[in-house]
Amino acid sequence: MDGLTVTREILKQLIEKAQSEGANRITRIVIEVGEMSGLDTKEIQTHFEQLSQDTLAQGAKLSITSIPLKVRCLSCSTEYNASGFKMTCTHCGSISSELISGNELRVKEMEVG
């Protein structure tokens, strides 16, 4: 999915949740975006500012935290942070690995008023 679609869906779900709780306003949102999710955090921020106009989230502070790419070596079970597509095990040098984190997109927190 592209940044606009993702941002629109996150905002829609948060507004629905805030309304169901009787909130008049969303004041703060914290989301976590994995390094390998393919999403641009600046793009999400820009879309959020545009899409939140005239909604409960207008003026809300959006904080975006990046989740680093973490993998586990399938040869020796060492867990390590990788960068980009370079996933050579730091312990044994194997290139065989599985993703542990870094592909997520989740809302961590929402504050309402």
Side-chain angles (χ1 to χ4, degrees), residues 5-31:
T5 303
V6 167
T7 307
R8 182 179 290 127
E9 187 60 31
I10 289 171
L11 189 57
K12 177 183 170 221
Q13 290 179 18
L14 292 176
I15 289 170
E16 288 173 1
K17 180 163 178 53
Q19 288 173 331
S20 73
E21 294 176 1
N24 295 323
R25 197 163 99 80
I26 299 172
T27 57
R28 183 170 172 263
I29 300 166
V30 178
I31 62 173

Side-chain angles (χ1 to χ4, degrees), residues 36-68:
M36 294 294 286
S37 69
L39 296 170
D40 182 331
T41 57
K42 290 179 184 174
E43 182 182 1
I44 292 172
Q45 186 74 47
T46 300
H47 290 312
F48 176 80
E49 290 168 9
Q50 295 167 347
L51 294 170
S52 65
Q53 294 299 313
D54 300 321
T55 72
L56 293 180
Q58 182 172 341
K61 179 176 176 16
L62 175 63
S63 298
I64 303 173
T65 303
S66 181
I67 300 173

